[in-house]
Amino acid sequence: MEDLVGRPEDVAPRLLGAFVHHGGVTVRLTEVEAYGGSDDPGSHAWRGRTARNATMFDPPGRLYCYLSHGIHVCANVVVGEAGVAAAILLRAGEVVSGADLARARRPGAADRDLARGPGRLARALGLDLDLDGTDLVIGPVRLEHSGEPPAQVMAGPRVGLRGASDRPWRFWIEGDRTVSAYRRSPRADGGS
């Protein structure tokens, strides 16, 4: 997982086009968002290590899962170096295998929307909080780089944040139909 070492905003675009495998479903990543640690007010680790964010301080290549708004599991890839919090939120992707299983986990969703948004992506893959800390090389959740960089990578502000909302740390494949819509937080501070 040497390609996961570096600053989160540098590593994040390299994850576009990578594949995440779990529970009989494979998703090709089309949108991600970078989060740092103590220097990033948008990060769970901004105020230091807690029981919730402890995995963000693990070595790169671990899965960091958390519950968003008490409802949705969201998944991140830990990046950087051990002991320094950094992670990449998996925001959206295209289901490339196991579509029937993804549809069963997301009944009524159009194929484009099966993994469009971080909570939907985690549900399509069958991810839960018990998978937090999983090694993405040998664990039941695996991350595989395609080797082919996307044709056009775009960058813009992160979605729905109050702190550091203006950082262009959201990355997506331009023109991909599975990329989620940008939503600015109504409580955004305009920057850090």
Side-chain angles (χ1 to χ4, degrees):
M1 290 279 162
E2 294 144 15
D3 49 347
L4 298 179
V5 176
R7 299 179 324 166
E9 66 271 27
D10 296 333
V11 174
R14 296 194 304 249
L15 288 179
L16 293 172
F19 298 97
V20 181
H21 310 275
H22 181 258
V25 173
T26 299
V27 169
R28 179 183 62 88
L29 297 176
T30 60
E31 181 184 6
V32 296
E33 217 167 59
Y35 288 90
S38 61
D39 64 341
D40 181 1
S43 172
H44 290 166
W46 183 46
R47 291 193 168 101
R49 188 182 191 118
T50 65
R52 179 187 191 205
N53 70 23
T55 303
M56 284 184 76
F57 294 84
D58 282 354
R62 301 290 177 167
L63 184 70
Y64 166 48
C65 294
Y66 66 90
L67 198 58
S68 175
H69 304 290
I71 302 169
H72 306 288
V73 171
C74 293
N76 297 257
V77 173
V78 175
V79 300
E81 59 184 78
V84 179
I88 310 301
L89 174 64
L90 308 181
R91 283 206 54 81
E94 174 190 13
V95 174
V96 294
S97 72
D100 288 340
L101 280 170
R103 287 184 199 109
R105 292 173 182 146
R106 300 247 317 109
D111 283 358
R112 170 188 106 149
D113 295 331
L114 288 173
R116 187 175 183 225
R120 294 171 176 178
L121 184 147
R123 180 170 287 189
L125 285 165
L127 302 178
D128 60 38
L129 295 177
D130 292 339
L131 294 167
D132 183 50
T134 297
D135 183 318
L136 292 168
V137 173
I138 61 171
V141 182
R142 291 183 299 106
L143 175 68
E144 174 189 2
H145 285 270
S146 66
E148 293 293 322
Q152 184 68 33
V153 173
M154 301 299 294
R158 296 179 292 186
V159 175
L161 290 184
R162 283 181 283 182
S165 60
D166 64 341
R167 291 187 185 181
W169 287 7
R170 175 177 162 248
F171 302 91
W172 66 93
I173 299 172
E174 184 177 30
D176 193 290
R177 66 190 192 108
T178 63
V179 171
S180 62
Y182 172 73
R183 289 186 183 89
R184 178 180 168 88
S185 171
R187 303 173 296 187
D189 65 2
S192 51

